[in-house]
Amino acid sequence: QVQLVESGGGLIQAGGSLRLSCAASARTIISYTMAWFRQAPGKEREFVAAISWIGGGTDYADSVKGRSTISRDNAKNTVYLQLNSLKPEDTAVYYCAASVRSDTSRRTPDYIYWGQGTQVTVSS
């Protein structure tokens, strides 16, 4: 069982930056592919970014590509999502997720552990 706890969300003006953190309770997350998803009010949960546990390969949604970075610190059992040049459309609850897949995936069913989410609100 892996428990994930997100932090770092908040209210920020458009154009600003945030770093979200996801702390895992597991002994290690080294063998999990980790990802961030987000869900805006009235919308489905959508993929944001993922990082594999083999090779550290990454994948980003087109909506955040070029202005976000996902990274992991296996020694700290923590995954990060750096978001820059924030836009009002980035407003959502951001969720951290873990998968036993060795490669990245954009599909929510591939992720078996989920955090409670952290709210990000971007004001215009």
Side-chain angles (χ1 to χ4, degrees), residues 8 17 19 21 23 27 42 44-45 53-54 58 68 73 81 87 91-92 95 108 122 124:
S17 298
R19 189 176 80 156
S21 299
R27 183 169 57 86
E44 292 187 355
R45 192 168 297 189
W53 69 270
I54 292 181
T58 57
S68 66
D73 186 336
L81 180 67
K87 306 173 183 179
T91 295
Y95 296 92
T108 54
V122 183
S124 56

Side-chain angles (χ1 to χ4, degrees), residues 8 21 23 28 33 36 38 49 52 57-58 60-61 66 69 73 77-78 86 95 99 101 103 109 111-112 115 122 124:
S21 299
T28 179
T33 284
W36 289 92
R38 67 186 182 186
S52 69
T58 57
Y60 296 92
T69 302
D73 186 336
N77 280 348
T78 302
L86 283 162
Y95 296 92
S99 171
R101 291 176 62 101
D103 59 345
Y111 293 84
I112 57 175
V122 183
S124 56

Side-chain angles (χ1 to χ4, degrees), residues 77-116:
N77 280 348
T78 302
V79 178
Y80 305 97
L81 180 67
Q82 177 72 38
L83 291 167
N84 303 318
S85 302
L86 283 162
K87 306 173 183 179
E89 50 263 43
D90 292 319
T91 295
V93 177
Y94 283 71
Y95 296 92
C96 177
S99 171
V100 296
R101 291 176 62 101
S102 59
D103 59 345
T104 60
S105 171
R106 299 187 175 196
R107 301 176 62 247
T108 54
D110 287 337
Y111 293 84
I112 57 175
Y113 300 113
W114 292 83
Q116 295 295 317

Side-chain angles (χ1 to χ4, degrees), residues 10-77:
L11 175 63
I12 190 165
Q13 287 190 329
S17 298
L18 276 179
R19 189 176 80 156
L20 305 180
S21 299
C22 172
S25 65
R27 183 169 57 86
T28 179
I29 60 168
I30 194 171
S31 58
Y32 291 93
T33 284
M34 304 296 295
W36 289 92
F37 289 77
R38 67 186 182 186
Q39 188 166 18
K43 295 187 177 181
E44 292 187 355
R45 192 168 297 189
E46 65 175 8
F47 170 79
V48 177
I51 184 167
S52 69
W53 69 270
I54 292 181
T58 57
D59 184 27
Y60 296 92
D62 289 344
S63 58
V64 301
K65 192 175 294 183
R67 58 187 185 92
S68 66
T69 302
I70 186 171
S71 60
R72 62 192 299 161
D73 186 336
N74 291 332
K76 295 183 178 179
N77 280 348

